[in-house]
Structure formats: C-alpha cells, structure tokens
Amino acid sequence: TKTKQGNFITHHDEAAEDACEAVFLIGVGTLMKNEDYDVLAKKTSSGTGIVTVITDHNAGFPVKLKMPFFIPFLGGDRYGKLYSSITSDLGKLIPVCEGKTPKIIVGGHSASGMAAIEALPKMQPQPDGFIGLDPFTISERKMKIDRSLPVLAWGFDNTTCLVKINNAAKPSYNISSSEHRVFYRLKNASKKSGIQHCEFTNKGCGVFLGGKVKVCGASDGESIKDAVAKSIQIFAKSVQDGSIEKSDFEMPSLEVDLFVNDDVPN
C-alpha cells in the first residue's frame, strides 16, 4: 500500500481465531524495501493474531533516519507521520482490524529503529510496546524511551556491517525501563558463524562504505528468524498480560545471551 507518508505491506494468518489482537509495525533498514522482510513477517504472524506491518517511511530514498528540516521532501518526523496515518485509519487500511482495538507495537531494523525511538514522544495514540532489531545509531546520553513502554531488543556481541554494538541494541535496552524490557544478544564473535546485522532480512542488506554500497549478508540460519519471530509473539502476549517474565523468553536452542528487566549487559 502506498500513501503520502510512505509505503507498507501487511501479513496476517487468515486462520487465526483472534485476528488483529496485536499490530506490529516494523520499519525497514537502510537501502531496504518492504518485501525484504517477508520471511520474518510471515513467521511472526503465523499461528497468531499478530498483524505484521512492514513500513517504509522514506520510500524510494535509501536513508531511513529522521531527515533534517532543510530537506523538505523528507523533512520532519516521517516515521511518526506514517505511524499516525496507519493507526488513525486502521480498520480501513487493514480490514482484518475493522472494529478492533489491538495492542500497537512499533519498531524497526537498523536506522528505522532509531527513527522510531526519536518519533516515540510525539506518537498519537501512544504505542503499547517497542521492538528494536539492532536499531542504529542509539545514544544513551541523548535518547530516551518512556518508562511506561515495554521494550524488546535484538542485537549482537560483535560489530558487523559497520553497526557498532555500543550504539545499537544494547543502549536501546539500557535507556528503557527495568520493569519491562528484554534484550537478546546473539553470539557472533566467530566469523565462521556468518551471523551479522542483517539477520532479520530475507537475504541480507546493504550498508554505505566510502560512498559506495557494500553488501552485508546474513547467515543461512532460519533458526534465527524463527527465534526472533517467536520472541515477538511472546512479547506481544506479555504486553497484553501486562508483565514480562524472563522464563517466558528463554531459548536454550539458540546461542544467545538473554537480559531481562533488572539484568545489566556487560
């Protein structure tokens, strides 16, 4: 679907009994398009009432960060404006949500994760949760997330694709409330793992390096997307229930460090 505020596509499980009990809006990363996240979106919605909406607030333009006012055609809070246009007319734009009041969870991959955090204070209606898929660039000193907002973050223990770990998922977890937050840190220190910043996409993504685009791949592990999708499902239910318990989020089959609520990542 194309709008003045940006593009989006939706995924939902037509067989789900509680269709549209939650809506998850995930913004695409730098150089990416809506369809580049189809695999994760389908896995997230499968067997649940979650409608996954892949958004692109700067459609046709590679940069997904909040743009400065002197670039008029991309100025202002593009992520927030697309969010408002979708949520204000949810039933019309997403027919399965007609007449329903789902929990709204926002977020994004990479630069869109940053754009979402910057847009949070002005979002109306206020979302019920935030999910950051290795959001970048995040500053603990300059940015904050309202303490009332539950947060789920996925990141890595080793820098890849020029995304420094201390400016990504870890600080997004640190600036959120210790009452309801979750941080999965994938173990990717070994280059043999092939695990990188673009794991959340179908086949990898691109980054800018020296004025050129460098391809940043993803491992061939469907297990990571399966785990991310499962965590989103658990998170959505936790948002509905009003509490986050560490035991619900444990994934023993995955090489990952899990931090929840009072846990402090090293």
Side-chain angles (χ1 to χ4, degrees):
T1 302
K2 295 183 179 180
T3 72
K4 292 181 179 179
Q5 290 75 30
N7 298 346
F8 68 91
I9 58 176
T10 65
H11 294 270
H12 71 276
D13 190 334
E14 295 183 356
E17 295 182 0
D18 298 320
C20 197
E21 62 181 1
V23 174
F24 170 39
L25 293 88
I26 172 175
V28 304
T30 300
L31 295 164
M32 304 305 285
K33 299 179 180 179
N34 302 89
E35 57 268 24
D36 293 323
Y37 296 81
D38 282 348
V39 174
L40 177 60
K42 290 176 181 178
K43 289 179 181 292
T44 298
S45 295
S46 178
T48 76
I50 299 173
V51 176
T52 306
V53 185
I54 309 171
T55 66
D56 185 351
H57 55 282
N58 278 348
F61 193 76
V63 177
K64 308 305 175 184
L65 301 174
K66 181 178 178 180
M67 302 304 294
F69 71 91
F70 52 81
I71 304 181
F73 66 97
L74 289 174
D77 179 14
R78 295 284 299 180
Y79 187 105
K81 289 179 179 178
L82 180 56
Y83 167 83
S84 295
S85 71
I86 294 173
T87 56
S88 64
D89 208 6
L90 196 64
K92 181 179 179 181
L93 294 174
I94 308 175
V96 71
C97 294
E98 179 67 41
K100 299 181 179 180
T101 54
K103 294 294 185 181
I104 305 294
I105 299 170
V106 300
H109 174 220
S110 196
S112 274
M114 175 186 177
I117 290 177
E118 289 188 321
L120 282 173
K122 296 182 179 180
M123 284 185 179
Q124 292 297 331
Q126 279 288 292
D128 300 289
F130 169 82
I131 298 178
L133 304 180
D134 213 25
F136 182 76
T137 306
I138 309 302
S139 169
E140 289 189 46
R141 185 172 61 88
K142 297 180 180 180
M143 303 173 74
K144 65 179 181 179
I145 295 175
D146 191 280
R147 294 187 60 81
S148 67
L149 197 69
V151 168
L152 168 64
W154 276 85
F156 307 87
D157 66 2
N158 189 55
T159 293
T160 61
C161 309
L162 306 180
V163 176
K164 297 179 180 179
I165 59 174
N166 288 324
N167 296 113
K170 179 180 175 181
S172 72
Y173 172 83
N174 287 340
I175 64 175
S176 58
S177 171
S178 60
E179 295 180 1
H180 35 224
R181 61 181 182 179
V182 181
F183 173 31
Y184 288 95
R185 188 170 63 190
L186 286 162
K187 297 181 179 181
N188 68 328
S190 170
K191 292 184 178 181
K192 291 182 180 180
S193 71
I195 298 173
Q196 301 188 77
H197 170 70
C198 300
E199 290 300 323
F200 315 101
T201 68
N202 296 350
K203 297 180 180 179
C205 57
V207 296
F208 287 115
L209 179 62
K212 297 181 179 180
V213 176
K214 176 184 177 182
V215 175
C216 181
S219 70
D220 57 4
E222 285 290 303
S223 61
I224 293 178
K225 292 184 185 67
D226 287 337
V228 174
K230 182 64 176 178
S231 75
I232 294 171
Q233 295 169 356
I234 298 169
F235 182 72
K237 187 177 186 304
S238 296
V239 168
Q240 292 170 333
D241 294 343
S243 65
I244 285 180
E245 302 294 335
K246 189 170 185 176
S247 58
D248 294 335
F249 289 87
E250 292 175 348
M251 295 190 184
S253 61
L254 195 66
E255 287 291 313
V256 64
D257 294 318
L258 174 63
F259 304 92
V260 177
N261 295 339
D262 289 328
D263 294 339
V264 179
N266 51 10

